[in-house]
Amino acid sequence: MGISKWILPAMVSVLIFASCGESKEDKTENLKHSTRYNMISSIDHLAVVASIDLLKLIEKSAFESNPDLPMEASAGYKMMVKEKLDPEKTGIDLTGNNHFAISMVNPEEPEYIVFTAKVTNPENAKATVQEIVKGAYSEEEVDGDNYEFIVDDEIAFGWDASDIVVVFSEANDPKKIAKKLLQSRYVDGSDDDKGMEAYLAQEDDMNAYVQVSNTVDFIKAQSSDVPEEVLEALENAYYIGSGNFNNGEIVFEWDIHADELKNSEFNALATSSVNESFYNYLTQDKLIGFGTASIEMEAIFKALEYAESSDFSFEQFEEETGLSKQMMQEMFTGEFALSFVDIRMEEQTVAYAEGLEEEVDDFFMEESYTYNKEVPVMIFTAGISDSTKFGELLRASGEAKLMKGVYQMDEDAFIAFHADKLILTSDQETAEFFATGQAYKKYSLPAGANNETPLFGFVNTDPTKIPAGILKMAENDEGQMALDVLGMFSGVQFNGEFEHMEFRVEMTNKQDNALKVITDYILAQIKEKQMI
């Protein structure tokens, strides 16, 4: 059974119970050894912990008060969802920090998935659980505490007067795990779960915590080629992520705490951004978006050495390309850019298969038919130290056809060289332009854009800079809707360095919450197009 089977029950439990924000009585000064900390840290092979503040997101969306909300949807929400979120009626408090966690050893499926929440009224909690599942009910007294359980095959609910846990497991006894988790609240958790305290202190819309050292066995199970040095460097590593819908913006962040890996020879991320000259190879005028990466090539080749025994061979690569490992190390600088320029429509003619005409009336039969194919126009630029040597290798390979200074590798793959850059593009005219020794005018980013990180991504939202092919596609209803959605955003960019990654969307509407703006648009479209 694959991991996908567990996605549905996990999401069901989140929708019924989950929210993000810790119960006030558990907010000790440092959160360490609080009942929530103890419970989560007691999970064997803890891989991931996450939470989503469902109630806060519903509030931010202003979903219920939206005038375009169909009456049927409003009634269904109030009857089927809103009542299930009332702690007095359900006996389960959804106003605090509640989390789900995954125990993982086998890469094919988790050992178990856990969801936990606070209880306000045990009797009401029992009635709520019995509405969800029709399993066997039982009670146990443990150290003076009364534990209640309802078990239905691979799912177990366990609770007392303070907490409820939901456990999904095929490989283990879910009731046994639920009981262990409830008991663990009063036993000080391990101090080895670095970052757990900081994670529990977060009160974002969405949160995630990955204890990397606990996933080493999982990494080994996925690949036996991972170097021991890498596994050792991950022993003290952990990641903490968050996501928020704010007024005028959407922000997702990821903090990486892995000093040993950062300082090792396997850290492939450079400390600086690409040279500004790469912005002269993105577009002549308009574009959809682009990304840049500044990479430590030595780390890449080091990783490839360990993969050589299975999926990669330097010897075979040299036979096929003429590029030895040493040549690649000396030739590539580690700076790259990829630009998504436009989408053009190409008319394609396809001949009918031989013999087909025998099955079709000759009166209606044509020899061929045509259709329009969407072809992306892309430009990939790599920094190289010796374009002359690279050109010699392409000619020696016999795979490239040279014409007007352009090496045609395939029907839609053309290589040209300009200064210290290799340009690979899907557009022949673009390659010919660079082959003449010309370069584009430097692409100008909007004010406030930060491109000074090793990883950078940018999506164009300026309507005056939308490429012609995209505008052509927008002539139909679906295309116009896509442009309308794009118009909601004034900026979209990604920044990445080793210790911090951030994806940020700036909204055109700076006053309202970003989730409300998106919800308003969706409901307006549903009403206009009478989808319900």
Side-chain angles (χ1 to χ4, degrees), residues 85-154:
L85 302 177
D86 185 343
E88 291 191 9
K89 293 183 178 180
T90 64
I92 300 165
D93 187 2
L94 304 179
T95 60
N97 252 354
N98 300 301
H99 312 265
F100 61 88
I102 300 176
S103 169
M104 182 76 75
V105 175
N106 185 339
E108 295 297 323
E109 64 181 54
E111 290 293 293
Y112 54 90
I113 296 174
V114 175
F115 178 79
T116 176
K118 286 292 177 182
V119 169
T120 59
N121 184 305
E123 284 300 315
N124 289 356
K126 176 182 176 181
T128 298
V129 174
Q130 288 177 325
E131 286 183 10
I132 299 170
V133 293
K134 303 302 180 185
Y137 172 80
S138 62
E139 292 185 50
E140 289 186 30
E141 185 174 328
V142 180
D143 298 329
D145 293 324
N146 186 52
Y147 291 174
E148 300 179 72
F149 301 93
I150 291 181
V151 182
D152 186 9
D153 294 329
E154 301 161 7

Side-chain angles (χ1 to χ4, degrees), residues 256-273:
I256 301 167
H257 302 265
D259 289 342
E260 289 89 344
L261 182 60
K262 179 184 178 181
N263 299 323
S264 77
E265 60 186 344
F266 294 97
N267 176 12
L269 203 56
T271 56
S272 59
S273 60

Side-chain angles (χ1 to χ4, degrees), residues 37 40-41 46 190-197 209 211 214:
Y37 179 100
I40 295 175
S41 65
L46 178 67
S190 170
D191 292 337
D192 292 336
D193 289 322
K194 299 175 177 63
M196 176 83 75
E197 185 180 351
Y209 168 75
Q211 180 52 273
N214 289 347

Side-chain angles (χ1 to χ4, degrees), residues 265-439:
E265 60 186 344
F266 294 97
N267 176 12
L269 203 56
T271 56
S272 59
S273 60
V274 300
N275 189 284
E276 287 288 320
S277 62
F278 278 81
Y279 286 78
N280 292 94
Y281 299 85
L282 299 177
T283 182
Q284 191 166 18
D285 183 21
K286 304 172 181 179
L287 55 68
I288 299 170
F290 71 89
T292 62
S294 184
I295 303 297
E296 294 288 352
M297 295 304 296
E298 284 296 323
I300 298 297
F301 291 117
K302 190 73 176 176
L304 287 174
E305 286 179 7
Y306 285 93
E308 191 169 7
S309 61
S310 56
D311 301 325
F312 179 82
S313 166
F314 277 113
E315 183 177 342
Q316 183 179 353
F317 183 80
E318 183 175 356
E319 288 178 1
E320 295 178 354
T321 66
L323 282 169
S324 67
K325 175 187 172 184
Q326 182 178 351
M327 291 167 63
M328 287 190 292
Q329 286 175 311
E330 294 173 351
M331 200 166 292
F332 288 100
T333 67
E335 294 178 292
F336 305 94
L338 178 63
S339 177
F340 193 179
V341 182
D342 199 358
I343 295 178
R344 67 168 182 261
M345 306 299 288
E346 287 188 356
E347 188 176 273
Q348 303 286 317
T349 301
V350 179
Y352 282 103
E354 291 184 10
L356 182 63
E357 62 273 9
E358 297 177 4
E359 302 176 17
V360 183
D361 193 314
D362 289 341
F363 181 78
F364 297 101
M365 188 62 197
E366 297 181 8
E367 294 182 357
S368 62
Y369 67 95
T370 61
Y371 67 98
N372 288 326
K373 179 183 178 182
E374 298 174 358
V375 179
V377 179
M378 306 181 76
I379 303 173
F380 173 76
T381 308
I384 56 174
S385 59
D386 191 340
S387 59
T388 302
K389 180 64 176 178
F390 213 115
E392 291 174 358
L393 290 170
L394 288 176
R395 291 191 294 273
S397 70
E399 299 293 328
K401 182 171 66 174
L402 179 61
M403 184 181 297
K404 297 181 180 180
V406 174
Y407 296 85
Q408 182 173 357
M409 307 301 295
D410 203 345
E411 180 182 352
D412 53 1
F414 304 88
I415 292 178
F417 298 98
H418 183 270
D420 56 353
K421 307 288 192 300
L422 176 151
I423 299 103
L424 170 64
T425 176
S426 57
D427 183 67
Q428 184 173 356
E429 290 184 10
T430 298
E432 291 175 353
F433 173 82
F434 288 118
T436 62
Q438 303 179 77

Side-chain angles (χ1 to χ4, degrees), residues 466 470-471 474-475 478-488 521:
I466 301 296
I470 298 296
L471 292 176
E475 291 177 356
E478 291 79 7
Q480 185 57 52
M481 188 180 295
L483 282 185
D484 290 343
V485 170
L486 193 62
M488 290 192 291
Y521 175 78

